[in-house]
Amino acid sequence: MSLKNQRFPLPDVGEGLTEAEIVEWQVAVGDSVEVNQTIVEIETAKSLVELPSPWTGTVAALLVEPGTTVDVGTPIIEITVPDGAAGPAGSTQNGTATPAGPDAGPGGASAAGDAQDESSGSVLVGYGTAEAKASGRRRRHQAAPAATAVVEAVEPRVQAAPAPVAQPVRTPAPAAPRPATPAPASDTGTTTAARARVLAKPPVRKLAKDLGVDLAGVHASGPGGIVTREDVVSHAERSSVRTLTDYPDDEPWLASGVVSPDGRQTRVPVRSVRKRTAEAMVASAFTAPHVTVLHTVDVTKTMKLVAALKEDRDFTDVKVTPLLIAAKAVLLAVKRHPQINASWDDTAQEIVYKHYVNLGIAAATPRGLVVPNIKDAHTLDLLGIAKALAGLTATARAGRTSVTDMSDGTITITNLGVFGIDTGTPILNPGEAGILAFGAIRKQPWVHKGKVKPRWVTQLSFSFDHRLADGELGARFIKDVARVLEEPAHGLVWG
């Protein structure tokens, strides 16, 4: 049986993504792989994704190193397979899997995939678009090579210059470079003459010598251009080595950065979740006219309900927090004001009202902000919402939130209270009309039944798209959320 090498291109794993970062290979050169066996973990602009093998065979080469960001369509692995085995889209071309063409069906598989060779297994989802070259961005770089490169680039010009006339060797002082253009090396008396022309008293000259300061480079502030003691001290302080803030080497937000030669900055490429978040927030901020309304709420009865639910055996295996009650309050408010559960279609110039609620929960993770959503949350009872929240939170913290989990949200809650923050003015997720910020719950003096008493109080803020909702709708919506948090029994009436 003859063998041949097949190259597998990075596929578009969903929603038109154009690039991804190779995080970790699950196989090595020489390993045997089977169809649909996980071979690599990649990080897209939205989530971590495991890619399966399109063939049964042996790994011949890993074409991209971990930490490298490559464009969709770039070959990432080479697998030795039996001659005649088909690629992910059903055919091969020059040893590389043929990307799905414009006639491809859902998931990127073309009609030719129906006639695949058995050795290629099932048609895989979303394999390949047009080929492109790797961007070549690496996860980690060191500052030292950059500095070496600068030296190597400069040395040939130094060596090519005429040999200077011999002159006394002077150890340079640790001072800042002189602002004036240095004199030619052949003029041995110029530097000494310039230093002699500096106006300074003998004690000041001695101080400069002790501090290693070249008086010729010191700005003179004394009368008549004389260098003072303060001028020398100030110059020495500016020229001294500064203590830099030291960060642990394993900080994830520094891992892919490049340190500047002077060690004072680290530059990190914008990509993956942070890149996607930035693009989405800029698009939202400059597309949808945001309006935010705020409301302070007495949530003492909500806190009592949370305490009671924690003792309820039906809720033993789930985490009960005030956020759970807030989520239910939002769903009830959407039911009373369905106009807020909509999106603006600018292309068609239409308002799209949703007959379902996919409730987004903003989650801060080591990879950045992600907003997975509870699908069809309007169909769930309180226990169902609690279980869904627990599942989304665990998946997000593990960095395993899928593209599907973050797609098609209709309205979102962001829990600022978990960070001890009272309130904020959140930015809408693209395609949604509203986002509720739930602030920290604190015990505060509050007028209750005509008397000042300590009560549990929080602040709500609701940002909405003013194209879809006017101020009245936004105010009524946040007021209804507040009413449920003030008196959870309203949920029994509205539900």
Side-chain angles (χ1 to χ4, degrees), residues 106 115 199 382:
L199 300 180
L382 196 62

Side-chain angles (χ1 to χ4, degrees), residues 19 88 160 163 186 364 369:
E19 64 180 14
S186 59
L369 178 69

Side-chain angles (χ1 to χ4, degrees), residues 139 198 244 249 323 331 335 348 350 487:
R139 178 177 289 274
V198 174
L244 302 177
D249 293 336
L323 177 63
L331 293 172
K335 183 177 180 180
E350 295 173 341
E487 179 52 79

Side-chain angles (χ1 to χ4, degrees), residues 145-167:
T148 304
V150 172
V151 173
E152 291 175 352
V154 172
E155 280 182 351
R157 287 181 290 176
V158 174
Q159 294 170 356
V165 178
Q167 57 177 326

Side-chain angles (χ1 to χ4, degrees), residues 240-491:
S240 62
V241 177
R242 301 183 185 182
T243 302
L244 302 177
T245 302
D246 188 23
Y247 299 115
D249 293 336
D250 59 351
E251 288 289 358
W253 43 273
L254 284 177
S256 59
V258 177
V259 181
S260 61
D262 61 4
R264 294 180 62 81
Q265 296 179 344
T266 298
R267 291 181 173 268
V268 179
V270 179
R271 57 191 179 198
S272 301
V273 172
R274 179 62 58 192
K275 182 177 181 179
R276 173 62 179 169
T277 301
E279 292 171 348
M281 291 302 97
V282 170
S284 177
F286 289 95
T287 302
H290 286 57
V291 175
T292 303
V293 290
L294 300 94
H295 189 42
T296 305
V297 190
D298 177 359
V299 294
T300 303
K301 290 187 177 181
T302 285
M303 297 301 287
K304 291 180 180 179
L305 175 60
V306 169
L309 290 175
K310 288 181 178 179
E311 301 300 323
D312 191 310
R313 65 181 184 180
D314 289 339
F315 288 82
T316 302
D317 298 329
V318 296
K319 186 176 182 179
V320 179
T321 67
L323 177 63
L324 172 61
I325 312 303
K328 185 62 175 179
V330 167
L331 293 172
L332 291 172
V334 169
K335 183 177 180 180
R336 287 167 61 86
H337 307 285
Q339 307 97 307
I340 203 67
N341 193 50
S343 62
W344 183 275
D345 188 337
D346 197 46
T347 303
Q349 285 296 291
E350 295 173 341
I351 297 175
V352 183
Y353 293 105
K354 312 293 178 65
H355 297 272
Y356 57 92
V357 182
N358 288 346
L359 181 62
I361 305 294
T365 72
R367 298 173 56 245
L369 178 69
V370 296
V371 189
N373 58 77
I374 302 173
K375 306 298 184 187
D376 294 325
H378 62 288
T379 65
L380 302 177
D381 59 12
L382 196 62
L383 181 58
I385 297 172
K387 292 179 178 179
L389 279 174
L392 287 184
T393 301
T395 302
R397 288 177 178 171
R400 300 290 177 180
T401 303
S402 68
V403 175
T404 302
D405 288 338
M406 292 186 286
S407 301
D408 198 26
T410 63
I411 194 166
T412 294
I413 300 176
T414 177
N415 185 13
L416 301 178
V418 72
F419 306 111
I421 301 301
D422 293 327
T423 191
T425 55
I427 296 178
L428 293 167
N429 287 314
E432 299 180 15
I435 178 171
L436 180 82
F438 187 40
I441 299 176
R442 308 182 189 280
K443 218 164 194 179
Q444 299 179 15
W446 192 264
V447 177
H448 179 67
K449 295 182 179 180
K451 295 182 180 180
V452 177
K453 297 181 179 181
R455 305 284 287 181
W456 291 107
V457 177
T458 190
Q459 292 189 37
L460 305 175
S461 63
F462 182 60
S463 295
F464 56 92
D465 188 339
H466 214 333
R467 296 173 301 178
L468 292 160
D470 55 22
E472 179 187 10
L473 176 59
R476 289 182 181 276
F477 180 86
I478 193 173
K479 184 64 177 177
D480 278 351
V481 173
R483 288 176 66 187
V484 175
L485 293 174
E486 287 173 336
E487 179 52 79
H490 282 302

Side-chain angles (χ1 to χ4, degrees), residues 23-77:
V23 176
E24 182 179 4
W25 285 105
Q26 304 296 325
V27 295
V29 174
D31 288 354
S32 297
V33 294
E34 298 179 356
V35 172
N36 287 328
Q37 174 185 336
T38 299
I39 56 175
V40 66
E41 187 177 68
I42 66 171
E43 183 176 30
T44 70
K46 290 190 173 184
S47 62
L48 289 175
V49 178
E50 294 179 342
L51 295 184
S53 172
W55 304 291
T56 295
T58 304
V59 177
L62 303 179
L63 305 178
V64 181
E65 295 183 11
T68 304
T69 298
V70 296
D71 295 328
V72 167
T74 302
I76 59 174
I77 188 173

Side-chain angles (χ1 to χ4, degrees), residues 135-153:
S135 64
R137 294 198 297 271
R138 298 296 304 277
R139 178 177 289 274
R140 176 179 286 276
H141 300 278
Q142 299 295 331
T148 304
V150 172
V151 173
E152 291 175 352

